[in-house]
């Protein structure tokens, strides 16, 4: 339940907040821009802390058993999520635009959504495993159905937030700016 609260609910909401703001945090105006960023940061931090508690609980429960696919995916996802949290804390300032800042943005903006998707899908996988371990309607309604529902909801909300509001010319200009900073023509 802790991992679903974290990876199935809090972190996807934080990712949607970031996708809603993204490059447009400042363009959303003095009220929505900073609020979306604060919502993103708060949800990701809370989700990460809940996930850490979930990992500690899971590791204590599985100490005597061999770690299988679901657990391995979870450990890998949490390891990369730890790097994302640290990169968010230690990120270079936005101005002046340095190579370090561009590298941070590329890492954070590609691995963040990728790890959120991995976490959500691992929740679905965990719900599926719970169904087969318990083989009852309670396991289905408690784990699998909410996991699938939030996975679909997150993917739709993320895609909608990411691809609405940024004109293609603005996005292309941003990509060109990153390429110039990284030293590519």
């Amino acid at each position: 339940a802790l991992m679903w609260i974290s990876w199935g609910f809090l972190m996807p909401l934080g990712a949607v907040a970031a996708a809603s703001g993204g490059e447009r945090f400042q363009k959303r105006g003095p009220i929505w821009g900073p609020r979306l960023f604060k919502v993103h940061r708060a949800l990701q931090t809370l989700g990460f802390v809940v996930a850490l508690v979930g990992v500690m609980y899971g590791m204590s429960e599985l100490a005597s058993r061999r770690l299988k696919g679901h657990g391995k995916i979870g450990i890998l996802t949490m390891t990369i999520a730890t790097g994302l949290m640290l990169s968010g804390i230690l990120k270079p300032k936005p101005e002046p635009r340095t190579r370090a800042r561009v590298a941070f943005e590329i890492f954070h903006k590609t691995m963040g959504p990728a790890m959120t998707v991995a976490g959500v899908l691992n929740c679905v996988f965990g719900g599926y495993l719970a169904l087969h371990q318990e083989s009852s309607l309670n396991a289905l309604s408690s784990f699998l159905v909410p996991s699938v529902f939030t996975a679909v909801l997150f993917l739709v909300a993320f895609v909608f937030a990411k691809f609405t509001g940024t004109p293609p010319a603005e996005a292309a200009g941003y990509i060109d700016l990153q390429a110039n900073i990284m030293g590519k023509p």
Side-chain angles (χ1 to χ4, degrees), residues 36 48 79 107 115 123 127:
L36 282 172
F48 183 74
T79 301
F107 172 72
M115 288 303 96
C123 285

Side-chain angles (χ1 to χ4, degrees), residues 44-121:
Q44 298 307 89
T45 301
L46 181 60
F48 183 74
V49 169
V50 171
L52 279 178
V53 173
V55 165
M56 289 186 281
Y57 174 77
M59 295 304 280
S60 69
E61 286 293 310
L62 296 173
S64 63
R65 291 189 257 165
R66 188 172 172 185
L67 200 58
K68 295 189 177 164
H70 174 69
K72 289 178 182 178
I73 293 168
I75 296 295
L76 177 64
T77 303
M78 282 301 296
T79 301
I80 296 172
T82 302
L84 282 164
M85 292 298 289
L86 290 173
S87 76
I89 293 168
L90 303 172
K91 67 181 176 255
K93 296 194 182 310
E95 298 297 329
R97 299 227 12 113
T98 61
R99 287 179 185 224
R101 176 64 188 201
V102 172
F104 157 76
E105 288 180 5
I106 291 169
F107 172 72
H108 202 77
K109 292 175 185 177
T110 55
M111 293 307 291
M115 288 303 96
T116 303
V117 168
V120 167
L121 293 177

